[in-house]
Amino acid sequence: MTRNAEQAIASTAAADPVEPAALRLPPVPLALKINGEDYFHEGDPAMPLLWFLRDRLRLTGTKYACDSGVCGACTVLVDGAATHACTLRMQAAAGKAVTTIEGLGKSVLHPLQQAWIEEDAVLCGYCQPGQIMAAAALLQRKPQPRESEIDALPNLCRCGAYPRIRSAIQRAAEVMRANAK
Amino acid sequence: MSTLDSAGRRRFLAVSLTATGALLVGWRVARGEPAPADLPLELLGDQLTALGPFVRIERDGRVVIGAPGCEVGQGVFTSLPMLVAEELDVDWSQVRVVQLPWGGAGTANGPGHRYGRQGGVPTDRGADWRLLREAGARVRGLLVQAAAGRWNLAVAELRCAAGKVLAPDGRSLDYGALAAAAANLPPPGAAPALKSPADFHIIGQPTRCADARAIVTGAARFGIDEYIADALVAIIVRCPYPGGRLGRYDDGATRKVAGVVEVLSLPGPLADLPFEGPLAAGVAVVAENTWAALRGCELLETEWQRDAPAASIGELARAAQAMLDASDGGLPVRSEGDFAKARKQARRVIEARYEQPFLAHATMEPPGALVDVRSGRARLFASIEDPDAAATTITRLTGIARNAIDISLPRSGGSFGRRLQNDYVAEAVLVARAVGKPVKLLWRRGDDLAHDFYRPFGVHALAATLDRKARITGWSHRCAATPRTWRNAGREGQPAHTGLLSADGFPAGLVAHLDLRFFPLGSPLPRDPGLRDDDAFEVFATQSFLDEVALAGKRDAVELRLELLGMSSAATPTQIGPPTAATARLAYALTRCAQLVGWGVPRDDGHGIGIACHATADSYLAHGFELAIEGDRLVIYRAVCVADVGRIINPLGVQAGLMGGMLASLSDTLYGAITLKDGQVRQTDFDRYRLLGMGDSPRKVVVEIVPSSAAPTLAPPSVQASVAPALANAVHAASTVRVRKLPLMPELMRLL
Ligand code: FES
Ligand code: FES
């Protein structure tokens, strides 16, 4: 706690006084695309994307559960790659295209969402948007994932829904392969 | 018409018509009139307040049923409305479920909540299940009465199916078309007769989670997802030393963060009194948004004061061992026959000790609450499981009358018992009062792991005396553990062993000479009161020890258990079933589990099989594992759960709950441990408090539900006590290493 605080103070102190005047002009807002729409952020560029999604846009499907990039509850797609919104700063998200669970299947459900319902993979449901986003990134890379690739998904589920999550991913993969033909 | 509720208050069935012509039926409490609650509009219109189970029938025939429970992942959002729908005789596909807020039942204390605490009140379950069915039956009765009037036929001639009233001549009327007429009828007196189980068409059908679509699209609202205008975000930096106090703090840098509006100190619990408010002293950073509050917390400088540092787990374990080394003492829990004499006369005496760590609940959604306590009214939005107690907390802290409190019950991201506590509601109320604005309190993961009501720590010393045929003649269990009763308001006045060493846990009552004793251990870490009857503490020790006794006597471990249960050792599930008495229900689950996991089947692949069983007030569970130790990995090839939890309302939901409870308990068993360093909890993130992941969960999971006509448990156990010993038994079978200390993985790696 104390160490963190010292580090944080040290970093702001170092950055502040030496900044050339030109850089202190009103910052250009950071621009990014979220679920296909353009958004701008004028606040602290160090704020994680998670709080922009939740506090500003009320896109609350992206969950908070650990703030340290471990659990995956906050998983979104950034330029197609599964990314933890809790550790991705706005300055790093600038210029990127972000997809959240709300944007995954906009008018029709994504095959993963449909499979999740059919396999009844929801327990408390809190980890599930993140699980689906992580699975979406996996299926994009590997339309026919091996068991070991599903095993390697890092998202945590305290409720222990893993067996049904696994079945749902397999079911969706099948549907998506059939659709692609 | 009126009926008496469990508190003896008279309640009236209220029937009305909404502006759009929908029929609305619910309960109105006669006295203690609560003020209008924030009820879902689509369910209520503007007509009724203070409702219990209820139903709205639209003119177009769509049906809305209010879910009266607290959904934490146990499936009551789906299963409780199924009960109403069954007796209402509608198709489940016509039904939309809407969560009801708190306040559906009258109590001596004003408004209360009947379904808030699943799993805490076993004797109530039968009554609950009947009450919701009666609610559906009464609505059906009204609709039938309306149809009888329309057709000029006797009520007895009519029947209902799939949202229609049917006449003997083939005519039919949709419920929707009868809504207006039914709303004008006087409510029926007694509930119409309930269906016989043979006629059930919804109860017992596999039914998917009713709000799955909202969850998988991100639309579902959990407590943390609620926002109201003007609300400030609060995050509390808490004292890391249990029982410690706030010294000086410097908020200079914190206050400079854009968006931070207030920094204030919060007192901790009063020494030695029950935990009724916050668990720890702290400093709250209040800000306009979450990021500002998080930054503010990082920049805050605090000094904490403490007395002597809390004992480390090693010190606690040594203290427990020393207590157990003394040959006498302890609080007698149950004694039968003469164990000391049995010991002297025994052919053999087997002894072993087991150790269990403190465990955190680690719900995926951290605790938190959104409250508004301005101008004599309170509004609370939070993921909680005991809204009655939350209301009591609000009244105690603010003086706001119970009937001026509205509580919304969003979905909760897991509970495992954590959300039966309202310490975080108290914190949010204190901060909101201080700043005079609504406050949304957020707990970070580290706050959650370091400030919990932990599942207790303990060491068990077991001894069994065997006769010449290696039958158990005597059983002694001495348990030294941190009592659940300590500073827990819900457990006040109960004996120290409550929820830690049960007087009638298996095999107590089944052996001639029995001696159960308890030794209370001190620790400043708050403990889970264990109000859920599934949270049995001693089962890791007793069910591991039974296997050790079987092995020492060269007996089959399943046969030994069956012998204790009074069953013929040759019995198979078909010979025992259908289960009736408690021991038979447990024996059935055990033998069926043995079959499914391949118990006794010779194998040459090096996989080990282990099994264990456990009975609570109304569930009988057995677990079995087939596993192998491959290098530094433990690979579970098959995990089996056989459960007798009474009649099943929703098999798909109960299966999910049993599967999830098994995996959550596996996570605790393999990795879970809260430890202390320099008097502070060391685990402040998921790296140090490891959870089971996809990759280490079992390759195959088999859950079998025993058919039963006993009253349903409504929600399956979320903590499954026989998982840990079944796993340790399987590890022994695979490796000949006996793990007597949890968490299992580090101990196994140490012993291998
Ligand atoms: S909340 Fe982002 S990984 Fe846990
Ligand atoms: S469903 Fe509860 S954490 Fe995954």
Side-chain angles (χ1 to χ4, degrees):
Chain A
M1 175 64 225
T2 320
R3 210 185 52 230
N4 280 349
E6 275 167 15
Q7 280 168 350
I9 292 166
S11 64
T12 41
D16 265 342
V18 290
E19 242 178 63
L23 292 186
R24 272 190 264 123
L25 290 175
V28 181
L30 300 173
L32 73 169
K33 258 197 188 348
I34 295 171
N35 298 334
E37 316 235 352
D38 291 320
Y39 289 96
F40 299 94
H41 172 62
E42 292 183 348
D44 185 356
M47 177 170 84
L49 171 66
L50 177 66
W51 304 112
F52 187 74
L53 295 173
R54 293 183 58 85
D55 278 3
R56 290 281 295 285
L57 308 185
R58 298 282 196 268
L59 291 174
T60 54
T62 306
K63 301 299 187 203
Y64 164 86
C66 76
D67 62 34
S68 53
V70 181
C71 73
C74 63
T75 306
V76 295
L77 303 183
V78 177
D79 288 346
T83 306
H84 293 147
C86 69
T87 49
L88 183 73
R89 301 192 184 276
M90 287 305 283
Q91 66 215 19
K96 307 262 165 69
V98 175
T99 308
T100 71
I101 187 74
E102 292 90 349
L104 187 65
K106 265 204 156 164
S107 42
V108 263
L109 290 181
H110 186 281
L112 277 163
Q113 293 169 316
Q114 189 62 44
W116 237 257
I117 295 175
E118 277 159 23
E119 293 290 336
D120 200 38
V122 166
L123 282 165
C124 83
Y126 194 75
C127 72
Q128 305 287 4
Q131 302 275 4
I132 292 172
M133 297 312 283
L138 172 65
L139 294 190
Q140 239 161 51
R141 283 185 295 118
K142 307 269 176 165
Q144 196 153 1
R146 284 200 300 264
E147 287 295 330
S148 60
E149 287 163 334
I150 298 181
D151 277 350
L153 285 171
N155 293 46
L156 298 175
C157 174
R158 177 63 171 129
C159 299
Y162 298 116
R164 287 189 180 185
I165 292 173
R166 180 186 294 275
S167 314
I169 295 173
Q170 284 158 338
R171 178 192 281 255
E174 246 169 68
V175 170
M176 287 166 75
R177 284 200 304 275
N179 289 349
K181 272 183 200 149
Chain B
M1 157 263 100
S2 74
T3 180
L4 290 179
D5 67 14
S6 58
R9 301 182 73 81
R10 200 154 289 278
R11 302 184 315 158
F12 295 89
L13 188 69
V15 180
S16 61
L17 192 66
T18 71
T20 56
L23 168 68
L24 198 60
V25 183
W27 296 106
R28 192 198 296 273
V29 182
R31 280 176 292 153
E33 247 85 26
D38 253 349
L39 295 168
L41 271 184
E42 61 272 52
L43 190 58
L44 268 190
D46 47 4
Q47 305 284 329
L48 295 174
T49 60
L51 292 162
F54 58 134
V55 175
R56 174 181 171 119
I57 294 176
E58 299 287 356
R59 278 210 299 202
D60 64 7
R62 281 175 309 154
V63 178
V64 184
I65 297 179
C70 294
E71 178 63 68
V72 301
Q74 79 289 51
V76 291
F77 182 79
T78 308
S79 62
L80 299 182
M82 283 171 73
L83 296 172
V84 179
E86 174 68 66
E87 296 290 345
L88 183 56
D89 259 330
V90 289
D91 264 355
W92 184 247
S93 60
Q94 289 174 268
V95 172
R96 200 157 63 84
V97 178
V98 183
Q99 177 67 43
L100 290 175
W102 170 74
T107 72
N109 229 347
H113 203 80
R114 191 179 176 95
Y115 298 91
R117 184 182 278 178
Q118 299 299 331
V121 201
T123 48
D124 226 19
R125 285 170 177 162
D128 284 351
W129 118 280
R130 218 172 26 249
L131 193 77
L132 286 172
R133 289 172 62 203
E134 279 175 6
R138 282 174 201 277
V139 181
R140 171 170 40 92
L142 278 173
L143 293 159
V144 169
Q145 220 184 312
R150 182 83 59 90
W151 287 326
N152 241 328
L153 290 170
V155 162
E157 291 178 81
L158 307 181
R159 14 178 236 110
C160 295
K164 290 181 191 339
V165 183
L166 310 171
D169 57 12
R171 279 182 298 175
S172 73
L173 275 169
D174 286 342
Y175 284 179
L178 292 164
N184 287 324
L185 291 170
L194 297 181
K195 285 183 180 175
S196 101
D199 297 328
F200 287 163
H201 69 293
I202 292 178
I203 294 174
Q205 292 304 310
T207 306
R208 295 190 181 108
C209 176
D211 54 349
R213 193 185 169 99
I215 290 166
V216 302
T217 54
R221 299 280 275 279
F222 293 78
I224 198 173
D225 301 328
E226 302 284 0
Y227 288 80
I228 54 178
D230 287 347
L232 297 171
V233 176
I235 301 178
I236 300 173
V237 175
R238 293 177 188 76
C239 178
Y241 305 110
R245 294 172 305 280
L246 176 63
R248 58 165 286 282
Y249 66 97
D250 180 352
D251 59 10
T254 301
R255 286 184 183 270
K256 288 203 189 92
V257 174
V260 168
V261 297
E262 189 59 88
V263 179
L264 50 101
S265 65
L266 285 178
L270 294 174
D272 303 327
L273 291 181
F275 294 111
E276 281 196 316
L279 272 182
V283 179
V285 175
V286 188
E288 281 161 3
N289 61 69
T290 312
W291 177 237
L294 284 166
R295 283 284 296 146
C297 288
E298 267 176 51
L299 297 173
L300 191 71
E301 288 190 65
T302 49
E303 278 171 21
W304 306 104
Q305 296 171 347
R306 60 171 191 193
D307 305 326
S312 71
I313 298 305
E315 288 162 348
L316 209 54
R318 281 190 290 281
Q321 297 285 3
M323 284 178 175
L324 297 171
D325 286 341
S327 58
D328 52 6
L331 311 167
V333 174
R334 180 168 173 178
S335 167
E336 272 163 16
D338 187 342
F339 180 79
K341 194 165 149 209
R343 187 177 184 120
K344 278 195 204 98
Q345 293 170 349
R347 183 69 165 229
R348 286 183 74 181
V349 180
I350 316 294
E351 290 183 278
R353 290 188 183 185
Y354 303 86
E355 183 181 320
Q356 282 164 278
F358 285 112
L359 290 176
H361 296 90
T363 57
M364 210 60 176
E365 179 191 3
L370 171 58
V371 295
D372 183 356
V373 288
R374 290 172 301 181
S375 51
R377 295 199 62 82
R379 278 196 296 165
L380 168 66
F381 305 78
S383 293
I384 54 175
E385 214 182 349
D386 192 350
D388 269 353
T392 304
T393 297
I394 292 171
T395 303
R396 183 165 44 75
L397 294 175
T398 62
I400 294 172
R402 207 171 166 85
N403 58 14
I405 299 172
D406 296 335
I407 303 179
S408 294
L409 297 169
R411 223 174 207 282
S412 296
S415 172
F416 317 103
R418 178 65 178 98
R419 295 182 201 282
L420 293 171
Q421 303 291 342
N422 287 295
D423 51 312
Y424 44 94
V425 173
E427 288 177 338
V429 168
L430 291 171
V431 177
R433 278 251 293 193
V435 299
K437 283 205 167 183
V439 161
K440 176 170 173 166
L441 173 72
L442 178 78
W443 280 44
R444 297 162 297 180
R445 178 55 55 193
D447 301 330
D448 171 52
L449 290 171
H451 300 281
D452 196 353
F453 290 81
Y454 301 101
R455 308 241 303 278
F457 170 91
V459 179
H460 309 262
L462 283 108
T465 58
L466 305 189
D467 67 10
R468 279 189 313 170
K469 290 185 169 163
R471 286 177 305 215
I472 298 176
T473 54
W475 182 271
S476 153
H477 186 159
R478 296 179 311 134
C479 167
T482 53
R484 294 182 187 276
T485 50
W486 181 74
R487 297 181 69 181
N488 266 316
R491 288 291 196 198
E492 251 169 351
Q494 296 182 5
H497 66 87
T498 305
L500 293 170
L501 179 59
S502 155
D504 49 11
F506 184 53
L510 302 169
V511 291
H513 304 285
L514 181 77
D515 187 31
L516 308 182
R517 282 171 189 281
F518 184 77
F519 301 75
L521 272 181
S523 161
L525 288 184
R527 269 90 81 177
D528 187 329
L531 296 173
R532 303 170 83 103
D533 53 16
D534 46 24
D535 200 4
F537 184 74
E538 76 267 26
V539 179
F540 167 60
T542 53
Q543 290 282 319
S544 293
F545 188 58
L546 277 171
D547 263 49
E548 296 210 52
V549 169
L551 197 77
K554 299 196 171 57
R555 307 271 318 266
D556 178 282
V558 171
E559 272 183 23
L560 178 72
R561 287 176 175 81
L562 290 174
E563 181 182 275
L564 286 164
L565 288 168
M567 300 292 150
S568 131
S569 61
T572 66
T574 33
Q575 286 168 300
I576 294 172
T580 46
T583 49
R585 287 174 79 176
L586 187 60
Y588 182 90
L590 177 67
T591 45
R592 182 65 187 137
C593 183
Q595 264 182 350
L596 289 172
V597 77
W599 181 262
V601 179
R603 51 193 319 145
D604 52 13
D605 55 6
H607 294 191
I609 305 258
I611 199 164
C613 61
H614 172 55
T616 63
D618 55 3
S619 337
Y620 302 83
L621 266 68
H623 288 97
F625 294 101
E626 173 200 333
L627 56 79
I629 292 142
E630 300 174 3
D632 59 358
R633 275 166 46 90
L634 188 152
V635 183
I636 301 173
Y637 285 91
R638 180 188 296 262
V640 179
C641 168
V642 177
D644 177 349
V645 288
R647 182 183 294 286
I648 302 301
I649 301 168
N650 177 12
L652 204 56
V654 170
Q655 286 243 352
L658 290 167
M659 170 193 79
M662 172 159 69
L663 267 58
S665 301
L666 258 180
S667 184
D668 291 342
T669 305
L670 289 169
Y671 311 120
I674 288 291
T675 60
L676 290 147
K677 187 162 185 225
D678 302 329
Q680 306 184 23
V681 170
R682 286 192 64 211
Q683 290 71 24
T684 50
D685 56 36
F686 282 142
D687 281 330
R688 275 175 283 185
Y689 197 83
R690 183 170 168 189
L691 297 182
L692 187 80
M694 179 77 86
D696 46 7
S697 59
R699 296 277 165 91
K700 186 171 171 56
V701 173
V702 180
V703 172
E704 189 171 281
I705 300 170
V706 179
S708 167
S709 53
T713 50
L714 299 187
S718 64
V719 176
Q720 298 175 3
S722 40
V723 165
L727 198 73
N729 291 339
V731 164
H732 182 266
S735 66
T736 71
V737 172
R738 171 56 61 178
V739 176
R740 299 196 183 93
K741 179 178 170 186
L742 298 181
L744 188 139
M745 271 325 269
E747 182 68 0
L748 175 63
M749 289 303 125
R750 191 181 69 82
L751 294 172
L752 272 177

